[in-house]
Amino acid sequence: MLTLYGNKNSGNSYKTKLTCELLGIDYHWVEIDILAKENREPEYLAINPLGQVPALKIEPDNNDAATILVESNAIIRYLADGSRLIPTDRLGYAQMWQWLLYEQTEVRANIGPVRFIKKFQNMPHDRLDEYKTKFAKSKTVLQHLNEQLDGQNFILGDTVSLADIALYAYTHVAEDGGLDLAPFENLRAWFGRIEGLDGFMAM
């Protein structure tokens, strides 16, 4: 049995749900309200002492002890093992991980806070400088992805992979943070291709 602990507004959580839906994986979802600090309650800290979402509880059928897996890109890699979302060639696999790392260090690290500060915190004064800095970086990130998608359907070429799932999670809601997606034609066309996949589930 698989249990996913996450938050409905979290891009990191969403990518794990989306992976399950695209691959037809059965799972149980447990909503963790971050704004209400449920992720800091003892019950959740017993699952993930870092207090972060998502977390995946893996309970074997043989009654062995459950395993907890954290970090969203590690979770989707586990979920997608042996599926069409993971390239089978050595270079393609490395390129997938290249983009999964970029997603965490650049996409989530910039677009994520910009969205959170504007949409969920209503632009508090003490985070305005951070917002402005990350907003500028976010535009560079979006431009880089738009250029990567020039002349190809998905991040790695013609075939969808986990790289697409991870990168889509935060970029498609970038406008929540005040970013204008209109100039990024390739990116918007890519959104449509992701959303047209069998099993797609909106955030």
Side-chain angles (χ1 to χ4, degrees), residues 114-171:
V114 164
R115 175 176 179 257
F116 186 78
I117 291 168
K118 182 174 176 61
K119 182 171 183 177
F120 299 105
Q121 292 193 315
N122 197 28
M123 303 288 280
H125 181 73
D126 62 350
R127 297 197 74 179
L128 287 181
D129 287 345
E130 178 188 1
Y131 176 86
K132 291 175 183 177
T133 299
K134 290 184 178 293
F135 185 91
K137 290 182 179 179
S138 294
K139 290 198 292 185
T140 301
V141 167
L142 294 172
Q143 182 60 43
H144 180 53
L145 291 173
N146 194 67
E147 291 170 358
Q148 174 67 18
L149 288 160
D150 188 26
Q152 58 188 50
N153 289 330
F154 297 103
I155 291 296
L156 299 184
D158 291 329
T159 304
V160 66
S161 73
L162 284 182
D164 298 281
I165 306 309
L167 291 164
Y168 174 82
Y170 280 103
T171 55

Side-chain angles (χ1 to χ4, degrees), residues 177-196:
L179 292 152
D180 183 10
L181 291 172
F184 306 112
E185 183 178 349
N186 297 331
L187 201 61
R188 290 185 287 106
W190 172 68
F191 293 162
R193 286 189 285 274
I194 298 291
E195 291 157 12

